[in-house]
Amino acid sequence: STQRPRPRVLLKAPTLAEMDEMNISEEEESP
Amino acid sequence: RPVNIPRKEKDFQGMLEYKKDDELKLIKNLILELKPRGVAVNLIPGLPAYILFMCVRHADYINDDQRVRSLLTSTINGIKKILKKRSDDFETVSFWLSNTCRFLHCLKQYSGEEAFMKHNTPRQNDHCLRNFDLAEYRQVISDLAIQIYQQLTKVMESVLQPMIVSGMLEHETIQGVSGLKPTGLRKRTSSIADEGTYTLDSIVRQLNNFHSIMCQHGMDPELIKQIVKQMFYIIGSVTLNNLLLRKDMCSWSKGMQIRYNVSQLEEWLRDKNLQTSGAKETLEPLIQAAQLLQVKKKTDEDAEAICSMCNALTTAQIVKVLNLYTPVNEFEERVTASFIRTIQVRLQNRKDSPQLLMDAKHIFPVTFPFNPSSLALESIQIPGSMNLGFLLRV
């Protein structure tokens, strides 16, 4: 079997704390 | 209507396809409403992690970065949500710590990075992610695992806390010792064994319970070792702190009882093959305090022996134990003030902390050593009981 090249597109991720903030604001927005 | 033609395992590529609209349902059924008890007993350990990763693989395969991002974010938020809801349930926290670590290992094992591919089969190498590098998400998931580890420590502490003083210090199990009371001190409990009193057996049973749950969840062995070390640190520090505050715990016979209790905990470690966990070493201050209660405390030679023996205790702790020491019979003597001064002079060059009590809330730094799995993703089948019929094996 051939080895695949390393995936090329780096997906930028928010930090865990930033995710928390996004989640809180989403919850606030929803009724 | 599609015809359901049974396919051979080798025809699957180890991916799970789902509709974008089903992402919420996936998180709900797989994370928020999953009962760890049923899953742990009946299914492959780490199954939720493998399912989530197989969904990530499909999103990567169709080169849909939004879908990958959305799934990873929803997964992380779902895990956080269930851990908030069942924050004091050891089974839930242990279950999601195991699965979060397994998910992290999958993201590494199938990342396409050579360092993580060493133990892969050729088929597993074929299953590596094609389009996206998820290194940044791996960092977020590793941070999440650290948070869950800290939560697990707090849960263990709250369960063990009420048992420790009773089981490690107050309850007496050694025959012939229990009758000996320090002079002038009355027994705090009635002579009839109190119902509801915790004993060392209660602690050992609780350790067995924690250990068996973690094993059922397929927790990484190296992680179990770290958790056990943390449990032992809690037991050792709470016991020592109470000994340092209670005169009735500072006697020769208590020293003997503590050493017996510690030996039982050590036996538990051997029984579970956890001798290399570093757990025993966390009991060293307590072991030395118990020895200090039992050695002679009179001559200069005794002082020298105590100073070289008690290297895991601070000067403040050694002096406190000597001050609190209470003879149990006429053959023993109270420690003289001059002996304590001799000890203080001998130890004055030590640069140890002036603190008397141990920090019972201390949490050791945790690591999650990479632990690849030999499980073939294409062989994974999802039981109907998980209500994930909307996922399509690809």
Side-chain angles (χ1 to χ4, degrees):
Chain A
S1 175
T2 53
Q3 287 204 345
R4 293 185 185 285
R6 193 165 180 247
R8 267 172 253 139
V9 183
L10 176 74
L11 286 199
K12 302 292 282 179
T15 64
L16 201 55
E18 286 165 350
M19 274 192 188
D20 258 340
E21 281 171 24
M22 286 188 282
N23 206 26
I24 288 164
S25 55
E26 268 173 32
E27 278 173 17
E28 280 169 355
E29 278 166 25
S30 60
Chain B
R1 198 179 149 187
V3 183
N4 190 11
I5 305 164
R7 286 204 282 173
K8 286 181 186 164
E9 223 165 62
K10 64 178 184 183
D11 295 334
F12 290 112
Q13 299 173 68
M15 290 189 268
L16 290 168
E17 185 178 353
Y18 64 98
K19 294 194 189 79
K20 183 76 190 88
D21 290 347
D22 284 339
E23 186 191 280
L24 268 177
K25 196 157 67 175
L26 172 64
I27 301 301
K28 181 169 162 277
N29 294 1
L30 186 59
I31 301 177
L32 301 176
E33 292 184 355
L34 194 70
K35 300 284 175 281
R37 187 160 292 190
V39 173
V41 173
N42 300 318
L43 308 175
I44 312 166
L47 183 63
Y50 291 114
I51 292 174
L52 286 163
F53 180 68
M54 286 158 77
C55 292
V56 170
R57 274 200 67 219
H58 190 263
D60 168 81
Y61 178 75
I62 58 173
N63 202 8
D64 186 341
D65 64 319
Q66 277 311 317
R67 196 182 268 237
V68 175
R69 272 185 235 273
S70 175
L71 178 59
L72 290 172
T73 305
S74 302
T75 298
I76 292 163
N77 288 333
I79 294 172
K80 285 202 284 194
K81 197 168 178 180
I82 191 66
L83 290 174
K84 202 171 168 184
K85 192 175 165 194
R86 305 216 192 113
S87 60
D88 54 1
D89 176 37
F90 184 86
E91 278 192 283
T92 301
V93 184
S94 159
F95 182 76
W96 283 108
L97 180 57
S98 304
N99 276 284
T100 302
C101 286
R102 178 47 58 202
F103 190 52
L104 180 62
H105 297 325
C106 284
L107 288 170
K108 287 179 177 170
Q109 184 172 2
Y110 297 99
S111 64
E113 292 176 36
E114 272 182 39
F116 299 124
M117 293 165 70
K118 287 177 190 154
H119 303 285
N120 282 1
T121 62
R123 193 83 205 267
Q124 285 178 318
N125 281 338
D126 283 345
H127 289 167
C128 284
L129 299 171
R130 292 183 168 205
N131 294 304
F132 302 117
D133 176 347
L134 301 179
E136 287 201 5
Y137 278 95
R138 289 205 309 255
Q139 184 58 52
V140 181
I141 289 159
S142 172
D143 291 347
L144 175 65
I146 293 173
Q147 267 190 8
I148 306 175
Y149 176 81
Q150 291 172 339
Q151 186 173 340
L152 191 78
T153 300
K154 284 182 190 141
V155 178
M156 287 187 314
E157 192 199 345
S158 65
V159 174
L160 288 172
Q161 185 77 36
M163 302 180 174
I164 298 174
V165 175
S166 174
M168 289 294 291
L169 285 177
E170 291 174 344
H171 187 76
E172 293 176 350
T173 49
I174 303 176
Q175 278 192 342
V177 172
S178 57
L180 299 172
K181 289 287 120 206
T183 45
L185 289 171
R186 297 188 66 174
K187 205 167 188 274
R188 287 163 67 103
T189 51
S190 81
S191 54
I192 303 159
D194 306 48
E195 277 185 36
T197 303
Y198 293 112
T199 65
L200 184 70
D201 271 353
S202 326
I203 295 176
V204 169
R205 273 199 302 273
Q206 190 55 58
L207 294 179
N208 279 332
N209 182 33
F210 285 151
H211 186 258
S212 111
I213 291 170
M214 293 189 290
C215 291
Q216 278 172 24
H217 293 165
M219 182 96 75
D220 292 325
E222 286 304 313
L223 186 51
I224 292 184
K225 284 183 187 170
Q226 295 178 71
I227 292 167
V228 168
K229 179 182 171 185
Q230 187 69 52
M231 288 198 264
F232 272 56
Y233 177 81
I234 294 168
I235 295 171
S237 57
V238 171
T239 308
L240 180 64
N241 285 349
N242 277 273
L243 183 147
L244 290 167
L245 297 173
R246 281 175 61 172
K247 192 179 166 73
D248 59 329
M249 294 302 149
C250 290
S251 64
W252 184 89
S253 61
K254 275 296 170 195
M256 181 134 154
Q257 181 68 53
I258 295 166
R259 290 176 74 173
Y260 172 77
N261 291 347
V262 166
S263 75
Q264 297 299 293
L265 294 177
E266 287 173 6
E267 193 177 313
W268 185 84
L269 287 176
R270 280 193 295 276
D271 185 44
K272 304 295 179 209
N273 208 11
L274 290 164
Q275 303 100 307
T276 59
S277 60
K280 187 194 162 195
E281 289 73 9
T282 68
L283 298 177
E284 196 53 32
L286 178 64
I287 293 169
Q288 291 183 7
Q291 286 170 335
L292 183 53
L293 293 173
Q294 295 205 291
V295 293
K296 285 188 196 154
K297 310 167 195 50
K298 202 167 182 183
T299 65
D300 277 1
E301 288 74 35
D302 297 341
E304 193 185 336
I306 286 172
C307 293
S308 58
M309 176 185 80
C310 296
N311 55 3
L313 293 173
T314 65
T315 305
Q317 289 167 339
I318 296 169
V319 169
K320 183 73 173 175
V321 171
L322 293 175
N323 272 317
L324 288 180
Y325 182 77
T326 308
V328 287
N329 58 39
E330 67 270 26
F331 304 112
E332 294 177 55
E333 294 170 38
R334 187 166 286 285
V335 185
T336 63
S338 72
F339 183 83
I340 294 175
R341 267 198 304 280
T342 307
I343 293 272
Q344 281 172 316
V345 170
R346 281 180 175 274
L347 295 179
Q348 67 191 356
N349 290 333
R350 266 207 206 173
K351 292 183 178 65
D352 57 15
S353 148
Q355 235 171 316
L356 176 65
L357 299 182
M358 287 180 76
D359 177 8
K361 304 273 179 198
H362 171 73
I363 298 181
F364 292 105
V366 63
T367 57
F368 307 109
F370 177 52
N371 181 16
S373 164
S374 57
L375 187 69
L377 296 178
E378 70 277 9
S379 71
I380 291 176
Q381 295 185 48
I382 306 173
S385 59
M386 292 182 89
N387 299 320
L388 298 171
F390 52 90
L391 297 179
L392 182 68
R393 273 177 98 188
V394 177

